[in-house]
Amino acid sequence: MSATRTRTVALRALRDAFGVFPTGVAVVTTCGADGTPVGVTVNSFVSLSLDPPLVAWSLNRASPSRAAFERNSNFAINVLSAEQIHLSRRFGSRTPDKFSGLKFDRGAGGAPLLAGSAAHFECRVTAAYPGGDHVLFVGNVERFAHDSSRVPLMFHAGRYHVPGGEIS
């Protein structure tokens, strides 16, 4: 096996091992320099601190949305509900206008807040750190809301789930 093939296999195995840990699914949003809404699907969101209220998430350095997140001082984390698999797929794709036809409000700094989300956190960027092939963003939570009647969307072993079962 070539060195490139061996590395590819090893990276896939590492990704599969990471996938054993169930995560929530969120769409992180901000605005481009011209005010255009920007968003990406992530499963790397984590609460970092309660006092002060901090969250962290990471974005692939190769993402075309990276510049918008690095330039804007605000972002919003929209925790997706079970009914929003289509949004996870849409914001995880290369669709040019991911917000076309979507209902959303504007939060802090103009970051889009997606209707129907289980929760959202409006944040001000406090730091961004390079980390291998990703950038780690840390944000101070300025406002938040949640709807406890909505079932959160989860991701585990390459598939979507809800508490209690798998969904397609």
Side-chain angles (χ1 to χ4, degrees), residues 134-148:
H134 279 64
V135 176
L136 179 71
F137 291 92
V138 177
N140 186 296
V141 178
E142 296 183 330
R143 292 187 295 212
F144 66 94
H146 73 283
D147 182 346
S148 58

Side-chain angles (χ1 to χ4, degrees), residues 29-39 65 67-72 74 99 106 109-112:
T29 58
T30 193
C31 293
D34 61 356
T36 302
V38 174
S65 302
F69 284 102
E70 289 180 330
R71 288 184 191 130
N72 199 316
N74 293 84
F99 287 87
R106 295 284 185 158

Side-chain angles (χ1 to χ4, degrees), residues 74-137:
N74 293 84
F75 63 84
I77 297 173
N78 299 271
V79 178
L80 298 185
S81 65
E83 298 82 27
Q84 295 179 306
I85 293 173
H86 66 287
L87 292 182
S88 174
R89 290 181 175 135
R90 177 186 266 199
F91 284 93
S93 74
R94 296 192 185 273
T95 301
D97 184 3
K98 296 175 183 176
F99 287 87
S100 178
L102 291 183
K103 181 180 176 191
F104 63 91
D105 292 319
R106 295 284 185 158
L113 304 175
L114 302 175
S117 295
H120 67 258
F121 302 89
E122 299 172 59
C123 306
R124 181 180 37 79
V125 176
T126 59
Y129 302 102
D133 58 3
H134 279 64
V135 176
L136 179 71
F137 291 92

